[in-house]
Amino acid sequence: MAPAAPAPPVSDIAATWQHILLLHAGVESELATALQRRHGLGLSEFRALGHLAASPTSELRMQELADRIGLNQSSVTRLVARLNVAEFTYRDPCPDDKRGVYTVITERGRARYAEASRTYDKTLNAALAEAGRADPQLAATLTVLGAAH
């Protein structure tokens, strides 16, 4: 049996991207755990509430929400159903388009988002600071980005 050919070398940009993906995965995992334990929210639910809270009209069409949080229509429909059951949002038919549906944030949803935002920011800062302590090169990058305190 012939020996396997050596793998081609990994470019610097590919190695850097892999490093970013690993950092992202670790930070997202910490954020998801903290939000679920302290506020009963998943990351996508938190981000959906954030986009709705930031909307000048407190509402977004379902497709708009899907685009903003990077989920497909089916996943957003299930996500919004969970938010509706928790009374964080409600569905409102679009007056101009019988097929269109808006998702509207409630005061209860705003309050939960405000509480969860503090946990999110604290957890994000801690996770990035820890990652920076483990990797001096990353620490320099985080300092430039203003993320490490």
Side-chain angles (χ1 to χ4, degrees):
M1 177 177 250
V10 176
S11 68
D12 288 344
I13 190 71
T16 299
W17 184 245
Q18 183 61 34
H19 191 73
I20 290 168
L21 291 175
L22 288 171
L23 171 65
H24 178 266
V27 171
E28 289 281 280
S29 176
E30 289 187 43
L31 289 168
T33 298
L35 289 172
Q36 189 63 52
R37 283 185 182 160
R38 295 185 186 129
H39 306 284
L41 290 175
L43 265 175
S44 293
E45 293 164 337
F46 171 79
R47 290 180 175 139
L49 290 174
H51 288 297
L52 291 166
S55 169
T57 58
S58 299
E59 65 185 12
L60 292 170
R61 286 181 77 123
M62 294 286 279
Q63 186 57 54
E64 220 178 338
L65 186 58
D67 292 344
R68 290 187 185 192
I69 58 178
L71 295 176
N72 63 38
Q73 186 72 35
S74 176
S75 295
V76 167
T77 299
R78 290 189 303 275
L79 179 146
V80 168
R82 291 190 303 273
L83 293 174
N84 289 347
V85 166
E87 298 180 354
F88 296 148
T89 62
Y90 64 90
R91 296 169 58 97
D92 192 27
C94 177
D96 303 334
D97 177 2
K98 298 291 183 203
R99 297 172 297 151
V101 176
Y102 285 97
T103 300
V104 185
I105 192 167
T106 64
E107 285 307 312
R108 180 180 169 131
R110 279 187 191 285
R112 181 61 59 95
Y113 177 72
E115 294 166 9
S117 290
R118 291 186 287 277
T119 298
Y120 183 92
D121 288 347
K122 183 178 177 183
T123 303
L124 178 60
N125 280 313
L128 291 175
E130 178 60 34
R133 284 190 290 278
D135 182 342
Q137 186 176 15
L138 178 60
T141 301
L142 293 172
T143 299
V144 169
L145 293 174
H149 298 281

Coordinates of all heavy atoms in Angstrom, one line a residue, residues 59 61 92-102:
E59 N -42.3 46.2 15.2 CA -42.8 45.0 14.4 C -41.9 44.8 13.2 O -41.3 45.7 12.7 CB -44.2 45.2 14.0 CG -44.5 46.3 13.1 CD -45.9 46.6 12.7 OE1 -46.8 46.1 13.4 OE2 -46.2 47.3 11.8
R61 N -42.1 42.2 9.5 CA -42.7 41.1 8.7 C -41.9 39.8 9.0 O -40.7 39.9 9.3 CB -42.7 41.4 7.2 CG -43.7 42.4 6.9 CD -43.7 42.6 5.4 NE -44.4 41.5 4.7 CZ -45.4 41.7 3.9 NH1 -45.9 42.9 3.6 NH2 -46.0 40.6 3.3
D92 N -49.7 39.9 13.9 CA -50.6 41.0 13.4 C -50.7 40.9 11.9 O -49.6 41.0 11.2 CB -50.1 42.3 13.8 CG -51.1 43.4 13.6 OD1 -52.3 43.1 13.7 OD2 -50.7 44.6 13.5
P93 N -51.8 40.6 11.3 CA -51.9 40.6 9.8 C -51.6 41.9 9.2 O -51.8 43.0 9.7 CB -53.4 40.3 9.6 CG -54.0 39.9 10.9 CD -53.1 40.5 12.0
C94 N -50.9 41.8 8.0 CA -50.5 43.0 7.3 C -51.8 43.5 6.6 O -52.4 42.8 5.9 CB -49.5 42.6 6.2 SG -49.0 43.9 5.2
P95 N -52.1 44.8 6.8 CA -53.3 45.4 6.2 C -53.2 45.5 4.7 O -54.3 45.5 4.1 CB -53.4 46.8 6.9 CG -52.0 47.1 7.4 CD -51.3 45.8 7.6
D96 N -52.0 45.6 4.2 CA -51.9 45.8 2.7 C -51.7 44.5 1.9 O -51.9 44.5 0.7 CB -50.6 46.7 2.4 CG -50.6 48.0 3.1 OD1 -51.8 48.5 3.4 OD2 -49.6 48.5 3.4
D97 N -51.4 43.4 2.6 CA -51.1 42.2 2.0 C -51.7 41.0 2.8 O -51.2 40.7 3.9 CB -49.6 42.0 1.8 CG -49.2 40.7 1.2 OD1 -50.1 39.9 0.8 OD2 -48.0 40.4 1.1
K98 N -52.8 40.5 2.4 CA -53.5 39.4 3.1 C -52.6 38.2 3.5 O -52.9 37.6 4.5 CB -54.8 38.9 2.4 CG -55.8 40.0 2.1 CD -56.4 40.5 3.4 CE -57.4 41.5 3.0 NZ -57.8 42.4 4.1
R99 N -51.6 38.0 2.7 CA -50.7 36.9 3.0 C -49.6 37.3 4.0 O -49.0 36.4 4.6 CB -50.0 36.4 1.8 CG -51.0 35.8 0.7 CD -50.3 35.5 -0.6 NE -49.8 36.8 -1.1 CZ -48.8 36.9 -1.9 NH1 -48.1 35.9 -2.2 NH2 -48.4 38.1 -2.3
G100 N -49.4 38.6 4.2 CA -48.3 39.0 5.1 C -48.7 39.0 6.5 O -49.8 39.3 6.9
V101 N -47.7 38.7 7.4 CA -47.9 38.7 8.8 C -46.8 39.4 9.5 O -45.6 39.2 9.1 CB -48.0 37.3 9.4 CG1 -48.1 37.3 10.9 CG2 -49.1 36.5 8.7
Y102 N -47.1 40.3 10.4 CA -46.1 41.0 11.2 C -46.0 40.3 12.6 O -46.9 39.7 13.1 CB -46.5 42.4 11.5 CG -46.3 43.4 10.4 CD1 -47.4 43.7 9.5 CD2 -45.1 43.9 10.1 CE1 -47.3 44.5 8.5 CE2 -45.0 44.8 9.0 CZ -46.0 45.1 8.2 OH -45.9 45.9 7.1

